[in-house]
Amino acid sequence: AELESFINTSCKFDPYYALPIYLSILDRLDDTQQESFLFNVLRHCLDTSNLYFNEMHKMQKKRILESNKKARRGTASCVLQFTQFLLFSESLMKNARRSSLDLCYTQLAEAVCQSIEVFSTHQSKMPSEVATIENYHFIYHFLFRNKIDGLDKFRTHCHKKYKDSLEKYVKSYLGTPLDKINVFFEGVNLKLNSGVPHQEIGFYSEFSKQKLKALITDYSVKEVKKGLESVMKKIEKHFTKEQNLFTVACLTMQAEFIKQVEGYENLMKLCYPDAGLKFSFSVAQIHAIFDGKSPRH
């Protein structure tokens, strides 16, 4: 009766006391002989503490879901609450069975995903993708460092959400810097997909090597640098300093732009093999443009 009274008094004073009490009883039960008087007492107290544990879990889930009513830039309150709760819980773990705690973690993880979705849509000074990028990146690296059992799948999910959102964001803001070249080769691809042999592409007036050469001259190193730096200046305003993800976004943008350029070059080699066509800039110069801008000044 005294132990049960202690549980009731403690958990009513601070709902978070339910967690260490519940885990301690679980741990002690594993070391207690079944059918003994102590085992029966602990079993009864476990049922009581489990009720408080479930209430604490519901309270934590509610806090996570309601924490972003006042959205701010950077790491969302729901993410900070979630990771702080994980640290608190894991610090109490000894040899106790994890099943109840892992179920709690899973449900809180689902809640934090819902809350990030709300948080991202309420941003007024940054694109919603940036909020998603920064918060899933924060959780992924937290879980990567702490290796919490039961959250391996969630860690993988966070990494995928982070990478997918980053890719979507980069493609959206980068667009096609060599826009006229892109339109030209979109037309070339349409011809190729319709069955026109690649050797005959240059015979069409709208896809002649002379026209392509004229388009290439529009994109000097200076013009390409000006366009890319304009994009980087714009996206730098979107990211906070907390996780230095502006640099990551620049590197991803660099890779995407080089991919576009290499795609154009491959079509040049295929359809205009002897024309000697090439851009006035090199991959090394593209690297230099991004290297000069990506570190935060």
Side-chain angles (χ1 to χ4, degrees):
E2 290 182 2
L3 181 56
E4 186 169 3
S5 176
F6 168 76
I7 294 171
N8 287 325
T9 302
S10 299
C11 294
K12 288 177 181 177
F13 176 75
D14 187 341
Y16 286 98
Y17 282 160
L19 185 55
I21 291 172
Y22 176 74
L23 293 176
S24 296
I25 295 174
L26 263 181
D27 192 44
R28 188 63 186 272
L29 265 176
D30 289 337
D31 297 330
T32 304
Q33 185 178 356
Q34 294 189 20
E35 308 303 331
S36 67
F37 173 75
L38 179 58
F39 182 87
N40 291 329
V41 170
L42 290 174
R43 185 70 206 179
H44 178 72
C45 290
L46 181 67
D47 292 339
T48 302
S49 64
N50 187 48
L51 292 174
Y52 286 111
F53 173 80
N54 289 334
E55 286 301 312
M56 180 274 299
H57 168 221
K58 291 177 184 177
M59 181 188 73
Q60 183 65 30
K61 183 177 180 179
K62 184 179 180 181
R63 287 184 64 188
I64 287 174
L65 289 171
E66 296 180 351
S67 62
N68 295 320
K69 290 181 178 179
K70 293 183 179 180
R72 63 181 185 87
R73 293 184 65 192
T75 308
S77 297
C78 65
V79 170
L80 295 175
Q81 289 183 17
F82 176 64
T83 53
Q84 288 165 3
F85 178 79
L86 293 178
L87 287 175
F88 170 62
S89 302
E90 288 298 304
S91 70
L92 301 171
M93 286 298 297
K94 294 180 181 177
N95 299 316
R97 288 165 284 170
R98 295 192 60 99
S99 56
S100 297
L101 197 56
D102 287 344
L103 178 61
C104 172
Y105 285 173
T106 300
Q107 293 179 0
L108 292 180
E110 292 173 355
V112 84
C113 288
Q114 294 176 40
S115 200
I116 290 173
E117 184 70 22
V118 174
F119 176 77
S120 65
T121 58
H122 287 176
Q123 296 299 316
S124 58
K125 296 182 179 180
M126 61 193 291
S128 61
E129 291 92 350
V130 173
T132 304
I133 291 165
E134 291 192 328
N135 283 284
Y136 277 107
H137 177 268
F138 185 96
I139 299 174
Y140 167 71
H141 273 271
F142 172 87
L143 294 175
F144 182 81
R145 291 193 307 270
N146 291 281
K147 300 290 191 300
I148 296 175
D149 292 340
L151 287 176
D152 288 342
K153 288 184 179 179
F154 184 59
R155 184 178 72 242
T156 302
H157 169 76
C158 290
H159 187 253
K160 186 176 187 304
K161 287 286 290 185
Y162 155 63
K163 296 293 284 186
D164 288 351
S165 298
L166 180 61
E167 181 180 352
K168 179 181 177 182
Y169 170 81
V170 163
K171 287 184 176 180
S172 173
Y173 276 84
L174 175 65
T176 51
L178 310 184
D179 192 48
K180 289 183 281 187
I181 298 289
N182 185 68
V183 171
F184 181 90
F185 280 115
E186 280 183 346
V188 168
N189 274 319
L190 285 174
K191 289 293 184 183
L192 292 172
N193 292 334
S194 69
V196 175
H198 61 85
Q199 303 94 327
E200 298 179 12
I201 291 294
F203 296 151
Y204 290 84
S205 59
E206 66 268 37
F207 302 121
S208 67
K209 65 179 181 182
Q210 290 82 7
K211 182 170 183 179
L212 177 56
K213 185 175 182 179
L215 291 177
I216 288 173
T217 59
D218 289 339
Y219 295 102
S220 64
V221 176
K222 182 179 179 180
E223 285 301 311
V224 171
K225 181 182 180 185
K226 180 180 177 181
L228 292 175
E229 287 185 342
S230 174
V231 174
M232 285 187 282
K233 185 176 181 180
K234 182 184 297 183
I235 71 169
E236 185 174 16
K237 298 175 182 178
H238 296 161
F239 290 91
T240 62
K241 295 182 179 180
E242 292 177 47
Q243 301 177 65
N244 198 30
L245 289 178
F246 167 64
T247 300
V248 176
C250 285
L251 291 173
T252 306
M253 193 168 283
Q254 172 184 277
E256 174 62 25
F257 181 57
I258 290 173
K259 181 181 176 182
Q260 290 180 13
V261 171
E262 289 177 342
Y264 304 145
E265 289 176 336
N266 288 337
L267 285 171
M268 285 185 204
K269 292 174 185 177
L270 178 67
C271 301
Y272 313 92
D274 302 317
L277 296 170
K278 64 177 183 178
F279 292 113
S280 61
F281 54 87
S282 64
V283 170
Q285 287 173 313
I286 295 173
H287 281 291
I289 293 169
F290 282 94
D291 289 346
K293 185 65 181 175
S294 60
R296 187 179 293 274
H297 296 289

